[in-house]
Amino acid sequence: MGERSAADRLLSVLAAFDHEHPALSLTDISRRAGLSLTTAHRLAGALAAWGALERDASGVYHVGLRLWEVAALAPRGLALRQLALPYLEDLYEATHENVQLAVRDGTEVVYVEWLQGRSAVGVHIRIGARWPLHATGVGLALLAHAGPAVQEEYCSGPLASFTPYTITDPARLRRALAEVRRSGVAVSERQVTQDALSVAAAVSGPGGEVVAAVSVVVPRTGAQVPALAPAVRLAGRGISRALGWRPEHGVR
């Protein structure tokens, strides 16, 4: 058995855990990772000894704090969140609505921070959650500033529908992305839940490349996009500056 195979098996143990399965018995790990019980026991033990997993008194395994320490080093994860948080808090204070920070991972948006607002608007978000790019404000903002080849490949692929208002027509999506680039904000209305509207703006890194997106999610009824857009753009610009972006670097 080669080194590659050993690494794959070790990673399959970690991949067995997700938001729906945060605590697993050894039998669960074995089944979800596709490993024999003996192999699962050996690998889970090694991961627990390192701190990647923790085993409670009942013998159930949980993700360990050592992974949190390592994740804190990720420039697109907790490190980004730490720089962005003051601007996210300012946006929350200005709106008292749901505020989100997200990054792109392939064809999906991954949420790295979420400040919960006062309204009861339906937000199917948690830190680490993933959604297709076309269905969310932050996703549209990220996709609009991805490379032309990335955009074309995405638009030519299947566009999942979550409500009757989700963008599923490639031509309509291309027009929406062009509007994002023109206006500097992405507006997603009733695409994931029918009571919500989100306004998002891109966040640029030191060289001008878009590395994240920030958004505010409000109840669709009574939403004032012209009032929200400048606040979201300001938050995006502030986070960009904190990351080292300057106006001469472009994009923002």
Side-chain angles (χ1 to χ4, degrees):
M1 195 181 302
E3 181 60 33
R4 170 74 179 176
S5 178
D8 285 345
R9 291 187 172 207
L10 194 67
L11 291 173
S12 73
V13 174
L14 293 176
F17 294 84
D18 57 27
H19 283 279
E20 282 70 46
H21 304 87
L24 297 173
S25 68
L26 197 58
T27 301
D28 293 331
I29 293 173
S30 170
R31 176 177 52 81
R32 287 178 56 79
L35 300 172
S36 71
L37 201 57
T38 301
T39 301
H41 182 269
R42 177 171 56 81
L43 295 178
L47 288 167
W50 185 75
L53 296 179
E54 294 177 359
R55 186 170 179 264
D56 65 23
S58 66
V60 171
Y61 288 86
H62 307 259
V63 172
L65 286 176
R66 188 71 179 272
L67 288 184
W68 180 265
E69 294 173 19
V70 173
L73 303 174
R76 294 203 304 156
L78 294 176
L80 168 63
R81 172 191 172 277
Q82 186 174 13
L83 287 172
L85 197 53
Y87 303 94
L88 301 178
E89 290 172 341
D90 285 347
L91 183 56
Y92 173 81
E93 288 302 323
T95 63
H96 293 292
E97 296 290 356
N98 295 281
V99 172
Q100 303 168 344
L101 181 69
V103 298
R104 182 173 75 88
D105 186 18
T107 60
E108 296 177 313
V109 60
V110 181
Y111 292 86
V112 296
E113 183 55 284
W114 169 45
L115 304 183
Q116 186 171 5
R118 295 176 182 173
S119 69
V121 63
V123 180
H124 294 190
I125 297 303
R126 59 176 182 267
I127 295 175
R130 293 171 175 265
W131 282 91
L133 291 169
H134 69 281
T136 67
V138 283
L140 289 172
L142 289 163
L143 184 58
H145 295 288
V150 172
Q151 292 184 41
E152 194 49 45
E153 182 178 359
Y154 191 95
C155 289
S156 63
L159 302 175
S161 178
F162 303 98
T163 76
Y165 305 95
T166 307
I167 298 175
T168 56
D169 176 55
R172 185 181 162 211
L173 178 56
R174 291 186 184 95
R175 289 195 298 271
L177 297 177
E179 177 60 20
V180 173
R181 291 188 293 272
R182 185 198 67 78
S183 66
V185 294
V187 178
S188 175
E189 184 174 358
R190 296 189 287 180
Q191 290 220 81
V192 175
T193 61
Q194 296 198 41
D195 62 341
L197 178 147
S198 71
V199 181
V203 171
S204 297
E209 74 285 3
V210 169
V211 296
V214 58
S215 73
V216 60
V217 181
V218 304
R220 174 182 167 269
T221 304
Q224 300 293 323
V225 173
L228 294 170
V232 176
R233 274 197 298 258
L234 185 64
R237 183 172 286 256
I239 299 169
S240 298
R241 284 186 174 276
L243 292 173
W245 170 87
R246 294 297 177 265
E248 61 269 20
H249 296 162
V251 179
R252 281 270 339 130

